[in-house]
Amino acid sequence: MPELLLLSGGVAVVRTPLHGQSVTVGRSPANDVSLPDDSLPPFLCSFEPLGQGRYRVVDRAGAGLTMNGKKITNDAVPDDAVFDFGRLQARFHLGSDDAVVAAPAGQRTGLLRSRGDGTLQRSDIRLRLPQSIGGKRIEVPQQGLRVGALADNDIVVDDGFVSSFHAQLFLRGERLFVRDLDSTNGTFIGGVRVVEAEVPLGAELRFGKACVQVESDEQEVKVDVSTSTLGRGPWRCAELHSADAAFARTFALIEKVAPHDASVCVFGETGTGKELAAHALHTLSARRGGPFVPLNCAAFPEELIESELFGHEKGAFTGADRQRKGCFEEADKGTLFLDEIGELPLEMQPKLLRVLETRAVRRLGGRGDVPVDVRVVCATHRDLVKHVREGRFREDLLHRIYVIPVKLPPLRDRPADVLHLAAHFALTLRPGAESTGAPASGPKAASSGSRAKGAATTSPLTKAANDKLLSHPFPGNVRELRNVIQRALILGDGKSIDADDVAFIPVTLEDLADAGSVYKKGMTMDDVEKLAMEGAIAAFGSLGEAAKSLGVAKTTFWRKAKQFGFTKEDKPEL
């Protein structure tokens, strides 16, 4: 496996396996390899995978990086390349036969993973202490553990070769690290003396004569999300409602995943409720007291998306008359929902990956990095694996966000939900009705294992109206159904909804032509365009999808939507 070996005076001090992932180097502790040298910039460089163990190195400080005695900025890295990192040297190796073996991908601290059998699996890391210091198996808490000879350390090693405060073990996201506290005799991983390094599963940590084994929890916890655990429906999860037992399994999955900070990617067609699923993950997590910030990656022209994500300093570009925080900073201590991540421009993807890896952002025009504590939930209706094959989405970014996939089925595959949700909307959208869709107040307040409170018991829809709803394919999914019921309430008598009150807006130009009712005497071309756009937006809820259905470029559609007033505060998503 490729690795980076750091040397001080010819002596190896840190060996970092690269795992086939992007690895950052610099002074800041947010880096994968943190160098204790104040003369170095916070983010010096990054090693980016090219596939098959090959890497390129990218200068992140802008001052040029020295590789094999030559200044470089963005170059492929040959085997045994040597870099100057301040007082340290670094050597890149394509492979190693040494005892320190990298943890395989997906086997790091406390990682929650999706299994093929519909369950989740979590493996917690443990330290097995030698008999000389207790012989126990202990867990590494979030606050970390301190190792040393004095009695007020978390792990006390009574050894003449161990300093009073020798080393510190701590978690960085889902990984275990060890940091030597300037001890006299050093801290070792598998025989290699380290200053600070990631500790892979199976490695041996040595403090003086004491050897501590790092291993995963022998009893892996399987989180069952089978139908038998759900109880009787209908079900509710935060603002999501369903009468479909298969969809209720997704509710159970959301509840199990929510307390963890594992990355989640929500897949589903437009209008299936991806933002509601993301909001449920936030509401049921320990971050529910923080902000929930949604950003639709398709809603902004390419030249504005970087500023929306990372913010900008005053004077960063024409019109930047003041400093502005981006969505990452606004979501600090909370959840950032990146909708339609598949629409993110390719040139923006490595910048997003860097923020996800370093947990720090740099505003446009800024010179320093701002740390952020954010859980990121992504969503898309695209096939990201296909996009990777076509070169439209970075593979390393896909692996970074695709830890727990949550799939939302289209409404046409949930016929029970058509009538259940129609009745729910008919009751809650009436003028003066009290909505039952408010976020739950705590992790157990919206359990999928109990009947949804406020579920419709007496539907105001007639049988003819229900039959008409069941015959429609709902290309716009739940969003379209909600709009249909809202129109029926406005245009009907207010007491019941009959088949004549249920109207479906044509969603393509071909449908509009077939309907024969787009143009009315006295209408202008702007009126026709506005009506067509309004109908497509009502069906799809996304300006991007509406533009696609009408065969119009997204930038043109966005400009027209702004002209017609579709992009105000209550605008539909692009």
Side-chain angles (χ1 to χ4, degrees):
M1 175 176 288
E3 64 181 14
L4 196 64
L5 186 66
L6 298 183
L7 306 118
S8 178
V11 178
V13 292
V14 174
R15 175 180 280 120
T16 300
L18 299 184
H19 298 298
Q21 300 172 356
S22 175
V23 173
T24 59
V25 181
R27 187 185 76 240
S28 169
N31 289 287
D32 296 295
V33 180
S34 178
L35 305 178
D37 186 344
D38 291 338
S39 67
L40 294 176
F43 296 96
L44 176 64
C45 65
S46 66
F47 289 83
E48 306 291 343
L50 297 173
Q52 299 182 340
R54 298 288 177 177
Y55 274 78
R56 63 184 175 90
V57 64
V58 180
D59 173 30
R60 297 296 182 189
L65 190 69
T66 302
M67 180 177 73
N68 293 335
K70 297 181 179 179
K71 288 282 188 180
I72 57 100
T73 56
N74 188 335
D75 287 69
V77 184
D79 194 18
D80 284 331
V82 176
F83 299 87
D84 292 329
F85 291 164
R87 296 193 298 267
L88 298 175
Q89 273 194 331
R91 187 178 298 274
F92 174 83
H93 287 302
L94 278 176
S96 172
D97 296 323
D98 292 334
V100 179
V101 181
Q107 295 291 328
R108 290 174 172 151
T109 307
L111 187 64
L112 198 66
R113 292 179 294 136
S114 179
R115 293 166 57 90
D117 58 2
T119 64
L120 301 177
Q121 187 177 37
R122 184 185 178 196
S123 299
D124 290 327
I125 208 162
R126 296 288 187 271
L127 302 179
R128 184 177 293 278
L129 306 182
Q131 291 297 326
S132 60
I133 55 175
K136 299 178 181 179
R137 291 180 83 242
I138 61 174
E139 183 179 354
V140 181
Q142 283 296 323
Q143 66 269 26
L145 296 169
R146 193 168 57 183
V147 182
L150 294 183
D152 57 350
N153 285 285
D154 300 295
I155 299 176
V156 179
V157 183
D158 188 10
D159 184 333
F161 293 94
V162 173
S163 300
S164 299
F165 299 106
H166 193 96
Q168 183 179 14
L169 292 160
F170 61 96
L171 302 179
R172 182 180 291 159
E174 296 170 341
R175 296 181 286 172
L176 175 67
F177 283 76
V178 64
R179 178 184 296 137
D180 186 77
L181 300 178
D182 199 23
S183 66
T184 301
N185 294 301
T187 299
F188 294 80
I189 300 178
V192 178
R193 184 168 181 168
V194 299
V195 176
E196 179 176 317
E198 181 181 354
V199 186
L201 293 179
E204 184 182 76
L205 279 165
R206 179 160 64 82
F207 312 106
K209 296 180 180 180
C211 294
V212 176
Q213 193 73 25
V214 180
E215 51 192 42
S216 63
D217 192 350
E218 294 174 355
Q219 300 296 324
E220 292 185 333
V221 180
K222 292 184 179 179
V223 185
D224 188 11
V225 292
S226 62
T227 308
S228 61
T229 65
L230 299 175
R232 298 183 60 185
W235 297 270
R236 179 184 168 197
C237 180
E239 297 174 83
L240 291 164
H241 293 255
S242 180
D244 183 87
F247 193 31
R249 286 199 294 269
T250 302
F251 288 8
L253 175 62
I254 289 171
E255 290 182 356
K256 297 299 183 182
V257 171
H260 306 276
D261 262 357
S263 298
V264 176
C265 194
V266 185
F267 295 89
E269 294 180 6
T270 299
T272 50
K274 296 189 292 293
E275 183 167 345
L276 293 182
H279 198 276
L281 287 163
H282 172 75
T283 299
L284 303 178
S285 74
R287 294 178 177 270
R288 58 188 174 275
F292 175 81
V293 179
L295 177 74
N296 192 308
C297 297
F300 299 94
E302 292 184 12
E303 61 270 18
L304 295 182
I305 186 66
E306 185 171 1
S307 175
E308 288 295 323
L309 282 169
F310 311 133
H312 61 255
E313 298 290 351
K314 182 178 179 179
F317 51 84
T318 303
D321 56 352
R322 59 185 176 86
Q323 183 192 77
R324 182 181 182 277
K325 291 182 178 180
C327 289
F328 270 94
E329 288 185 77
E330 290 177 353
D332 191 45
K333 301 298 188 296
T335 302
L336 174 60
F337 174 51
L338 296 179
D339 197 6
E340 298 302 347
I341 188 72
E343 309 302 319
L344 191 68
L346 190 61
E347 59 270 20
M348 281 300 305
Q349 293 175 23
K351 299 178 182 180
L352 174 61
L353 179 65
R354 177 184 177 275
V355 174
L356 296 178
E357 293 285 354
T358 63
R359 298 292 172 178
V361 298
R362 177 171 296 184
R363 300 182 190 126
L364 277 173
R367 304 187 66 179
D369 291 296
V370 180
V372 289
D373 176 16
V374 175
R375 181 187 192 172
V376 175
V377 177
C378 300
T380 182
H381 70 285
R382 301 292 188 187
D383 183 344
L384 293 185
V385 175
K386 181 181 178 182
H387 275 212
V388 169
R389 289 197 300 266
E390 296 173 349
R392 292 191 286 167
F393 201 83
R394 288 177 62 105
E395 184 176 7
D396 48 3
L397 179 57
L398 175 62
H399 291 313
R400 186 67 181 78
I401 65 175
Y402 196 98
V403 177
I404 303 292
V406 173
K407 299 181 180 179
L408 306 185
L411 187 58
R412 61 182 172 274
D413 292 344
R414 301 184 272 136
D417 272 349
V418 173
L419 301 186
H420 171 72
L421 293 175
H424 169 73
F425 292 140
L427 292 173
T428 58
L429 295 177
R430 286 178 181 273
E434 184 178 351
S435 173
T436 62
S441 59
K444 299 299 182 183
S447 174
S448 61
S450 60
R451 184 176 176 86
K453 294 180 179 181
T457 55
T458 303
S459 173
L461 285 90
T462 65
K463 183 181 183 303
N466 284 335
D467 291 343
K468 189 171 183 179
L469 290 173
L470 288 173
S471 67
H472 186 66
F474 286 102
N477 291 292
V478 179
R479 184 183 286 115
E480 182 185 1
L481 174 60
R482 186 184 188 279
N483 291 341
V484 167
I485 299 301
Q486 189 170 37
R487 283 196 299 274
L489 289 172
I490 293 172
L491 301 176
D493 60 12
K495 297 177 181 178
S496 64
I497 297 176
D498 204 353
D500 291 340
D501 302 320
V502 176
F504 305 111
I505 292 182
V507 296
T508 67
L509 287 176
E510 182 180 355
D511 293 333
L512 288 168
D514 291 342
S517 59
V518 178
Y519 175 76
K520 303 294 182 184
K521 190 174 181 179
M523 290 177 65
T524 66
M525 181 58 73
D526 279 350
D527 294 333
V528 174
E529 284 187 338
K530 184 175 182 180
L531 183 60
M533 292 174 65
E534 188 174 26
I537 291 168
F540 289 100
S542 160
L543 296 185
E545 283 300 300
K548 182 179 177 181
S549 74
L550 295 175
V552 180
K554 282 195 295 185
T555 52
T556 302
F557 196 90
W558 183 84
R559 178 172 51 78
K560 283 285 186 180
K562 187 174 181 181
Q563 174 187 331
F564 293 141
F566 294 151
T567 59
K568 296 178 181 178
E569 281 189 12
D570 56 345
K571 68 180 180 183
E573 296 171 333
L574 184 64

